[in-house]
Amino acid sequence: ELAEGMGIASKLKDGFLSVFCLFLIGGAGFVANMGQLLALVVLPFDRHLFRSISTWLGSGFLISGAFLLEEWGGCKFTAYGEEAPPDSKVLVVVNHGSDVDWAGGLSYIARLGEPFPGGAKAIAKDTLMYIPVFGWMTYFLEFMFVKRDWESDKIILTKQANQLGSSKLPFYLCLFPEGTRKTPKKHAQSQEFCKKNGYPVLKNLLYPRFKAFTLVAMTMRDQIDGVIDATLSFEGEHPDMQRALSRKLRCKCNIICQYHPINELPEEEVELEEWLRNIWVKKDASLDEVLEDQDAFYSRQRKYEWKQDPLNYTKFFALVGVFFCFLVGLSVLMVVNNIIRRVVVLTSVMTWVAVVVALVINVRPSKVGEKKPNPKTFSHGKKAD
């Protein structure tokens, strides 16, 4: 009975921590969204000014990804490898193995300085747009959205790529060429596909999809400075959103980056496919080395480790503070006015319904089941050293 009671208490604690963290992040995003909505008045007259305001507000919200992973979840982050030149416009290709990869990517991009992480973009499925706060943020920040119907996607991507390429602000456009998160079932299907078609069989990754990469690389060739090959991996327990929200990440996040100036990339579609295929084969071999002996692998990378100053969360907490002030003011109005109270209750119910529906559509459980590195160096309940 004592053990059962402690289990219930632990679940209640995890639930409270998860809801509180989502409340903080959602509140910061709500305030940023309202600021972006107000900034729309300048869009018809000065797109650059609108982008600057939206990006500044977006930085305050997107750094919450790094906050969730590192400060809240307890995961230590380390970046290795080459940096792009300052103020670059870059396409980033990265592997996708967990449902917190986005947070690891934001931890990396947040360390680039202004205007990041607000300058982060991604190519994502269009249903993400409909998630309240997060989805609206991605729309204002000019993420590219696809329906996974190539005949319509190629038209949409071309238009969005040209529009984003016209920006005067630096950006990092992130693409997961695998197209989906790795699971045992998808990995087996990917390996079977490679065997049938004579492609390299990858042990740790899904075989990449080329169409979005080649289209964006060709369309934006004169508008971007280069491509970053980013390899993301986690040491210790495999992470997921539930562990992150309940402050139970027992892992370390590593990202290794290699920068390729755009003039080093081929211009033709078939050659670009081969270029990305070779990148993925090398990436798979690197992850193989990590799984075999992570200590030796990262010791070799140590000379390429980035100097990492602590992240500045001032904007994020400022947005949270404004949100709390808004809630206090709204609470007073609800006490003195029945109409406002009814409107707020109705709006809240509709918003939560929209959140639940959007999450059901977009979020799937992460059961990776891959061979894990030795977690013995990670102490239970503490940050990784």
Side-chain angles (χ1 to χ4, degrees):
E1 290 183 2
L2 179 60
E4 183 179 348
M6 292 180 65
I8 293 174
S10 178
K11 289 180 180 178
L12 288 173
K13 177 185 175 183
D14 291 349
F16 171 77
L17 289 172
S18 298
V19 170
F20 184 67
C21 182
L22 288 173
F23 179 75
L24 294 178
I25 294 174
F30 173 79
V31 174
N33 281 162
M34 294 303 102
Q36 290 168 321
L37 277 173
L38 292 173
L40 284 173
V41 298
V42 307
L43 179 58
F45 311 103
D46 192 335
R47 179 176 287 273
H48 175 67
L49 177 59
F50 170 76
R51 280 174 168 156
S52 299
I53 296 171
S54 182
T55 297
W56 189 88
L57 290 166
S59 287
F61 173 69
L62 290 182
I63 202 169
S64 64
F67 173 80
L68 171 65
L69 184 75
E70 300 182 49
E71 308 302 328
W72 188 265
C75 178
K76 183 177 180 181
F77 176 86
T78 308
Y80 304 89
E82 302 169 338
E83 297 183 57
D87 299 323
S88 292
K89 299 177 181 180
V90 176
L91 174 62
V92 182
V93 291
V94 60
N95 54 299
H96 192 12
S98 80
D99 55 9
V100 295
D101 289 344
W102 62 275
L106 287 173
S107 284
Y108 159 61
I109 291 175
R111 288 173 162 83
L112 299 174
E114 293 292 346
F116 298 99
K121 322 290 178 188
I123 299 175
K125 55 185 178 180
D126 63 346
T127 51
L128 289 174
M129 277 193 296
Y130 304 110
I131 299 178
V133 179
F134 179 77
W136 305 335
M137 182 67 62
T138 61
Y139 178 79
F140 281 122
L141 292 177
E142 298 182 276
F143 278 44
M144 296 184 189
F145 298 100
V146 295
K147 299 178 179 179
R148 294 183 174 173
D149 172 13
W150 184 243
E151 290 307 310
S152 62
D153 285 344
K154 64 183 179 182
I155 298 171
I156 296 169
L157 275 178
T158 300
K159 179 180 178 181
Q160 293 176 335
N162 283 320
Q163 179 173 304
L164 178 60
S166 68
S167 175
K168 298 176 184 178
L169 297 173
F171 59 79
Y172 272 46
L173 174 60
C174 300
L175 170 65
F176 296 106
E178 292 159 300
T180 185
R181 189 169 63 246
K182 177 192 169 191
T183 64
K185 181 179 178 180
K186 292 172 184 175
H187 190 218
Q189 291 172 340
S190 176
Q191 289 184 319
E192 185 64 25
F193 170 81
C194 292
K195 291 175 183 176
K196 286 183 178 180
N197 292 276
Y199 298 138
V201 178
L202 306 177
K203 296 180 181 179
N204 310 292
L205 301 169
L206 302 182
Y207 190 73
R209 303 176 186 184
F210 301 109
K211 289 181 178 178
F213 169 74
T214 56
L215 186 147
V216 171
M218 294 169 68
T219 301
M220 303 185 75
R221 187 175 183 89
D222 296 328
Q223 299 166 316
I224 60 176
D225 299 293
V227 175
I228 286 180
D229 164 31
T231 303
L232 192 64
S233 65
F234 290 89
E235 300 177 42
E237 293 183 7
H238 192 83
D240 58 36
M241 278 296 294
Q242 183 178 352
R243 289 192 181 104
L245 289 169
S246 57
R247 310 194 74 176
K248 289 184 176 180
L249 289 178
R250 315 281 191 259
C251 60
K252 177 181 177 184
C253 178
N254 299 300
I255 190 167
I256 300 175
C257 302
Q258 185 174 5
Y259 176 72
H260 303 270
I262 193 64
N263 57 17
E264 290 184 2
L265 271 68
E267 298 184 18
E268 300 301 322
E269 182 176 3
V270 174
E271 294 173 336
L272 279 169
E273 289 184 7
E274 184 63 25
W275 184 88
L276 184 61
R277 182 183 294 112
N278 291 336
I279 288 288
W280 236 246
V281 170
K282 293 176 183 176
K283 190 188 298 289
D284 189 65
S286 294
L287 290 173
D288 232 12
E289 291 183 52
V290 171
L291 292 172
E292 288 176 5
D293 191 339
Q294 62 190 32
D295 292 334
F297 178 82
Y298 286 110
S299 291
R300 293 194 297 272
Q301 299 294 327
R302 196 70 59 200
K303 61 182 177 180
Y304 304 112
E305 183 175 345
W306 288 19
K307 180 182 178 182
Q308 295 177 176
D309 296 323
L311 291 176
N312 186 342
Y313 297 104
T314 302
K315 286 183 188 176
F316 171 63
F317 286 114
L319 292 174
V320 172
V322 172
F323 181 64
F324 274 105
C325 291
F326 167 77
L327 289 182
V328 170
L330 188 61
S331 299
V332 172
L333 290 175
M334 288 176 63
V335 169
V336 301
N337 191 301
N338 287 333
I339 295 177
I340 292 178
R341 181 162 58 248
R342 291 171 184 169
V343 170
V344 169
V345 170
L346 179 61
T347 304
S348 299
V349 171
M350 292 174 63
T351 300
W352 277 109
V353 169
V355 168
V356 171
V357 171
L359 289 176
V360 167
I361 293 173
N362 288 283
V363 177
R364 306 178 303 279
S366 176
K367 303 292 184 183
V368 175
E370 61 183 354
K371 183 171 69 171
K372 299 175 184 177
N374 185 356
K376 64 183 180 180
T377 57
F378 298 90
S379 56
H380 187 74
K382 298 180 181 180
K383 281 190 178 184
D385 293 328

